[in-house]
Amino acid sequence: MKRKLVPLLAGITALALAALPVFAQAQTSPSTPQPPPRVENGRRSLFSSLNLSAEQRTRIAQIKREKRAQLESILTAEQRAQLEAQRSQRRSSGQTQPPSRRGPMSNLNLSEEQRSQLRQLAQSTRSQIEAVLTPEQRQQIQQYRQSRRPSRPLPSP
């Protein structure tokens, strides 16, 4: 019995020693400067990876509530109902992201004036949130946005 056990233990030890550098390299390899966004309430949240203080979280939540109220004042009653129907359909189906890359607003037949108001609202919201963040957190967001942008080939002359 001992004669069979010794070669088996030697083989296991050799295998473990051979795999040890691979595991060590995987743990010490350089990683991205920011962790990927975590999932909160079934949705990916960039803010959850920024280590926000309680005060920052409260202020950002307030900004988002204000944005939603302004958004609803821009939309007509029919558009609000259509948007809410899309949201509830996504929730019931378990989807965390809109079905199309363009998002749920693309199906609302917005007027040019509404589009303009929504662009201004988005820019204003972004500025307000960035004002709450530290310079390091703003840099993390900038890096995240750049990593999410698809690389576009340069137009040929």
Side-chain angles (χ1 to χ4, degrees), residues 40-57:
E40 283 184 356
N41 299 329
R43 294 183 63 186
R44 290 174 57 118
S45 173
L46 172 61
F47 295 114
S48 64
S49 64
L50 294 178
N51 298 323
L52 299 171
S53 69
E55 182 180 334
Q56 286 175 314
R57 284 193 299 270

Side-chain angles (χ1 to χ4, degrees), residues 87-100:
R87 286 179 182 153
S88 62
Q89 182 181 11
R90 270 199 333 264
R91 279 187 222 121
S92 66
S93 68
Q95 288 181 335
T96 59
Q97 296 294 323
S100 71

Side-chain angles (χ1 to χ4, degrees), residues 34 63 91 102 114:
Q34 66 184 30
I63 291 169
R91 279 187 222 121
R102 293 175 49 200
Q114 286 176 316

Side-chain angles (χ1 to χ4, degrees), residues 1 36 44 56 60 64 83 91 94-95 98-99 122 126-127 137:
M1 177 77 176
R44 290 174 57 118
Q56 286 175 314
I60 289 172
K64 287 180 175 182
L83 184 61
R91 279 187 222 121
Q95 288 181 335
R126 180 181 283 180
S127 298
Q137 291 167 331

Side-chain angles (χ1 to χ4, degrees), residues 4-109:
K4 292 181 181 179
L5 188 59
V6 171
L8 180 64
L9 289 176
I12 292 172
T13 304
L15 184 61
L17 289 175
L20 187 61
V22 173
F23 291 121
Q25 182 182 11
Q27 290 179 351
T28 60
S29 65
S31 61
T32 58
Q34 66 184 30
R38 290 180 257 166
V39 175
E40 283 184 356
N41 299 329
R43 294 183 63 186
R44 290 174 57 118
S45 173
L46 172 61
F47 295 114
S48 64
S49 64
L50 294 178
N51 298 323
L52 299 171
S53 69
E55 182 180 334
Q56 286 175 314
R57 284 193 299 270
T58 302
R59 181 66 184 124
I60 289 172
Q62 180 183 2
I63 291 169
K64 287 180 175 182
R65 281 191 302 273
E66 291 169 2
K67 175 197 174 198
R68 188 171 185 134
Q70 290 175 348
L71 168 79
E72 291 185 1
S73 71
I74 292 171
L75 299 177
T76 65
E78 181 182 318
Q79 290 168 330
R80 284 193 299 269
Q82 188 177 356
L83 184 61
E84 187 54 41
Q86 290 174 6
R87 286 179 182 153
S88 62
Q89 182 181 11
R90 270 199 333 264
R91 279 187 222 121
S92 66
S93 68
Q95 288 181 335
T96 59
Q97 296 294 323
S100 71
R101 183 174 171 94
R102 293 175 49 200
M105 303 297 279
S106 63
N107 300 327
L108 298 182
N109 298 324

Side-chain angles (χ1 to χ4, degrees), residues 152-157:
R152 297 180 185 157
L154 295 175
S156 54

